[in-house]
Amino acid sequence: MTHISSQEHPQEIIFKKLCDHLSVIYPHRDGKSLAKRLMHTMRLDEDCQSPLPHKNLWDETDVMVITYGNTILSEKQHPLKALHHFLKTHFTMLINSVHILPFFPYSSDDGFAVINYKRVDPALGDWNDILRISTDFHLMADLVINHCSSLHRWFRNFQEGKSPGRDYFITASPDEDLSNVVRPRTTPLLRAVPRGDGCEYVWCTFSHDQIDLNFHNPQVLLEIVHIVRFYLDMGVRIFRLDAVAFLWKKIGTSCINLEETHEIIRLLRTLIEHADPNAVIITETNIPMRENLSYFGNANEAHCIYNFPLPPLLVNTLVSGNCRHLNSWLMGMPPTRNGTTYLNFIASHDGIGLRPAEGLLSEEEQEVLIQTMENFGGQVSWRALDDGSRKPYEINISLFDAMKGTTAGEDRWQMERFICAHAIMLALEGIPAFYLHSLVGTTNDYARMEAHGHNRAINRRQWQESELNAKLADPDSHHHKVFYRLRRLIQLRREQPAFHPNAAQFALQLGEQIFAFWRQSMNRRQNIFCLNNISDERQTVPLSSINLVGADRWKDLIGDQIFEDMLGTIELKPYQTLWITNRW
């Protein structure tokens, strides 16, 4: 590796880092020439900043909302304006970051088959709307770089043998052994397309409308870096690298999590953080836990990774009434280094992924979970295996409906179970991210699912702003109850140093019906003991079992109860959460 002197100019340091990255990605090419072109594309040859190593770019006040650009509709204005108005009306001083799912022109997959990376879908609004949102919230946008739409100009040029695009896509022969390739879908991997006087087969990891880009060609990397620079100029601060685990392909391998993929992420990190030291990279890698953790690298890849095991484990815990697996997972989670953290979520535009639960839940337990979710109106999406068979990939259901009951059936604890799930998410190490539909208690949208013809649409409802506002204002509406109870929990979380995303976290062993952990602020002054009854029966916990220090006065932040008798007990109602702290 190139030696870097502390006396060197920042541009020289970046140049050498880029050359190191490129020597791994393209060992047989001229890395120096390409490094200069990358720096010029990012304008780092004009100006650059030096990021502080291991700096936390977040604190306990950071809370994110995930939404489509057209989740909120209005007859008076474009969807992005309606969304901005809704966010400012309801979430000011509550949510400070927003992930707007792909807002570009697209041909399928609700935005993830991008036709033009540099345009805002006219049906949503324009770049001025995006810039306005970015002035009020930290904006996260998707960098959909594994593939593009079959309607993208690059792919049309590929078919016609023209540039740019002629060599931007991966081709393979159906006769090659592709049996090791890991797939998240059941469609055939290769798509036959006419080209010139013949036919070629292009690689399609996700669908035949999503054609995988060929990063073996450095020009593709340059195109993506140009897009990154443009997004920075348009107010994007947080980059979500969509489906990035599949980026590099090598025949004879699984084509997932390859070393070149990791090195491309490191290269993007180098470019982005020197252009804006406050920018953040988040990798979206819906894969088993150990593989997912690898995307932190040596604190030189993703700043944040999605905590993908949390949704299936937490839902399983609450419908089974047993936290054994969730507790084991928590004990096995490595603490994050400064400068890295987890993005915690329990609902999103996709389903409840089952791959991250592999090795954590048995097949029998997954089958019970799937059957329970189907009983509550959920659907199942599948992925293909090497032998041509299929396996459950995710459960598609709104989180509010997923909490209708337990494995025994529906019951009266839906609301309490739903709030408990979010109280756990809010208290865990990492940054909490709420799907907008969870914040307002949206239920399964069967009509949208049938109209769109795919299971994920069940949890992608579009609300008329006036209708949703009316429901949020109605005290008898479950939407109102969900929103205001979650609002209070978020406000409490934002005031606690012990809930900093990098504050210490320790699992507590209080039985299989109490999921408990201890958080401690980075200056060690505040402790919070988080106790969650994950069952439909009352539970009693001796105060002595959680080692409260007698010299301090302890209080439950949520219920305001004061604890003075250290030899007493705590009684938790079904699905009740306590945040017991010595500083309030």
Side-chain angles (χ1 to χ4, degrees):
M1 179 162 295
T2 306
H3 175 70
I4 295 176
S5 167
S6 60
Q7 304 300 315
E8 288 179 299
H9 192 275
Q11 269 93 354
E12 294 175 340
I13 294 173
I14 299 168
F15 177 74
K16 290 184 177 181
K17 284 185 175 180
L18 292 174
C19 287
D20 285 340
H21 296 314
L22 293 169
S23 69
V24 175
I25 304 167
Y26 307 115
H28 304 300
R29 293 182 180 267
D30 178 10
K32 291 182 179 180
S33 174
L34 183 55
K36 289 178 182 177
R37 294 177 68 189
L38 290 168
M39 289 183 66
H40 180 72
T41 301
M42 284 291 282
R43 301 201 295 272
L44 295 178
D45 51 357
E46 302 171 13
D47 180 41
C48 67
Q49 305 177 61
S50 298
L52 293 175
H54 305 295
K55 179 184 178 182
N56 293 323
L57 301 174
W58 42 76
D59 61 26
E60 60 273 14
T61 66
D62 283 288
V63 181
M64 180 180 289
V65 64
I66 305 165
T67 180
Y68 276 102
N70 58 1
T71 294
I72 306 297
L73 303 177
S74 170
E75 295 178 357
K76 301 177 182 178
Q77 50 194 353
H78 284 305
L80 285 172
K81 284 188 173 69
L83 174 65
H84 190 194
H85 181 261
F86 185 83
L87 293 174
K88 288 205 299 181
T89 300
H90 295 286
F91 298 146
T92 299
M93 303 304 293
L94 193 71
I95 302 289
N96 66 355
S97 304
V98 58
H99 173 201
I100 304 180
L101 290 151
F103 44 80
F104 320 106
Y106 70 96
S107 54
S108 63
D109 199 15
D110 278 1
F112 287 93
V114 179
I115 296 174
N116 189 325
Y117 290 95
K118 292 185 179 179
R119 288 192 64 201
V120 173
D121 186 345
L124 299 178
D126 56 33
W127 280 113
N128 287 326
D129 297 314
I130 295 296
L131 283 165
R132 291 187 193 100
I133 293 172
S134 73
T135 62
D136 292 322
F137 301 91
H138 302 318
L139 176 63
M140 179 156 88
D142 288 275
L143 195 59
V144 186
I145 58 174
N146 179 72
H147 49 260
C148 70
S149 167
S150 64
L151 299 184
H152 195 291
R153 178 173 64 101
W154 294 342
F155 190 64
R156 293 202 305 271
N157 286 349
F158 166 84
Q159 291 177 285
E160 297 171 8
K162 300 191 305 186
S163 294
R166 180 176 56 192
D167 47 5
Y168 279 17
F169 299 93
I170 297 173
T171 60
S173 167
D175 297 328
E176 292 182 280
D177 183 5
L178 303 174
S179 60
N180 291 327
V181 176
V182 171
R183 299 292 313 290
R185 299 289 186 271
T186 56
T187 53
L189 176 63
L190 301 181
R191 170 189 165 182
V193 295
R195 195 181 189 201
D197 295 330
C199 172
E200 291 207 47
Y201 292 85
V202 292
W203 195 291
C204 303
T205 297
F206 288 86
S207 80
H208 282 188
D209 185 43
Q210 294 164 293
I211 318 300
D212 285 37
L213 291 164
N214 179 18
F215 279 87
H216 291 262
N217 180 356
Q219 189 60 39
V220 172
L221 177 63
L222 281 164
E223 294 273 18
I224 296 304
V225 170
H226 186 75
I227 292 166
V228 168
R229 178 67 260 181
F230 179 74
Y231 289 179
L232 283 169
D233 294 338
M234 292 295 104
V236 174
R237 178 186 164 189
I238 308 169
F239 291 84
R240 177 184 182 269
L241 305 189
D242 175 66
V244 72
F246 301 94
L247 206 62
W248 195 269
K249 281 76 173 178
K250 189 180 296 183
I251 302 297
T253 73
S254 63
C255 297
I256 187 172
N257 307 321
L258 299 186
E259 176 56 29
E260 291 86 350
T261 292
H262 284 281
E263 199 65 44
I264 289 173
I265 297 170
R266 294 179 197 122
L267 179 145
L268 291 174
R269 166 78 176 258
T270 296
L271 291 169
I272 289 171
E273 69 181 1
H274 283 88
D276 181 356
N278 293 314
V280 171
I281 290 176
I282 298 180
T283 49
E284 188 266 332
T285 48
N286 191 357
I287 49 181
M289 186 177 74
R290 186 177 298 277
E291 299 169 35
N292 192 29
L293 289 169
S294 71
Y295 283 86
F296 278 137
N298 187 23
N300 61 350
E301 289 188 43
H303 295 87
C304 302
I305 63 171
Y306 279 81
N307 224 340
F308 276 110
L310 181 59
L313 288 180
L314 184 50
V315 171
N316 181 74
T317 292
L318 289 165
V319 300
S320 69
N322 189 307
C323 66
R324 175 168 55 93
H325 295 305
L326 187 62
N327 208 38
S328 296
W329 165 77
L330 188 70
M331 289 190 293
M333 286 296 292
T336 53
R337 302 169 64 178
N338 283 334
T340 65
T341 195
Y342 300 109
L343 188 74
N344 294 325
F345 74 107
I346 47 178
S348 75
H349 62 293
D350 291 337
I352 300 169
L354 294 174
R355 281 213 74 204
E358 291 177 7
L360 302 174
L361 297 178
S362 68
E363 289 192 9
E364 292 76 16
E365 288 167 326
Q366 289 191 47
E367 288 174 6
V368 172
L369 175 61
I370 289 169
Q371 183 61 60
T372 303
M373 294 298 99
E374 288 181 326
N375 291 342
F376 300 157
Q379 305 291 315
V380 178
S381 295
W382 303 80
R383 68 183 179 94
L385 298 181
D386 297 348
D387 59 5
S389 64
R390 62 179 194 164
K391 188 173 184 179
Y393 178 69
E394 67 182 17
I395 303 167
N396 305 108
I397 190 170
S398 81
L399 190 65
F400 191 71
D401 280 327
M403 298 288 102
K404 277 185 177 181
T406 68
T407 55
E410 295 185 26
D411 59 23
R412 62 191 179 96
W413 298 109
Q414 181 179 16
M415 177 68 70
E416 301 308 320
R417 196 178 287 113
F418 184 77
I419 298 300
C420 178
H422 287 94
I424 290 172
M425 181 188 76
L426 280 165
L428 286 170
E429 176 185 0
I431 299 169
F434 287 84
Y435 190 35
L436 179 57
H437 286 300
S438 293
L439 280 169
V440 299
T442 303
T443 56
N444 290 338
D445 190 339
Y446 300 108
R448 186 172 178 82
M449 181 181 69
E450 292 173 8
H452 284 253
H454 62 85
N455 293 342
R456 285 178 168 178
I458 198 172
N459 196 24
R460 297 177 179 179
R461 178 169 180 169
Q462 292 178 307
W463 280 102
Q464 287 293 329
E465 185 178 14
S466 56
E467 179 190 4
L468 183 54
N469 283 336
K471 290 183 180 296
L472 293 178
D474 178 3
D476 294 327
S477 165
H478 83 264
H479 303 280
H480 172 96
K481 295 171 184 175
V482 163
F483 179 72
Y484 284 96
R485 289 186 67 176
L486 291 180
R487 182 185 180 92
R488 180 167 181 268
L489 288 178
I490 295 170
Q491 289 170 331
L492 285 173
R493 178 224 155 73
R494 287 169 52 95
E495 297 167 356
Q496 315 309 320
F499 285 154
H500 186 288
N502 294 89
Q505 176 173 279
F506 305 91
L508 302 175
Q509 305 299 319
L510 298 179
E512 294 184 341
Q513 280 69 54
I514 301 290
F515 179 60
F517 50 96
W518 166 37
R519 302 293 309 278
Q520 185 179 65
S521 63
M522 299 175 80
N523 62 13
R524 300 187 179 182
R525 293 176 182 172
Q526 185 187 39
N527 296 284
I528 301 180
F529 290 88
C530 306
L531 277 61
N532 305 275
N533 181 0
I534 52 81
S535 77
D536 56 6
E537 297 180 352
R538 289 177 177 266
Q539 301 293 326
T540 300
V541 177
L543 276 169
S544 59
S545 67
I546 56 175
N547 297 317
L548 300 183
V549 178
D552 287 331
R553 296 183 72 237
W554 296 86
K555 175 185 176 179
D556 170 30
L557 292 168
I558 299 174
D560 292 327
Q561 181 181 357
I562 303 292
F563 299 96
E564 296 179 320
D565 180 7
M566 295 299 105
L567 298 178
T569 60
I570 305 171
E571 186 173 271
L572 287 88
K573 301 173 185 176
Y575 305 106
Q576 182 180 359
T577 293
L578 301 179
W579 289 346
I580 303 173
T581 184
N582 62 332
R583 295 286 186 273
W584 66 87

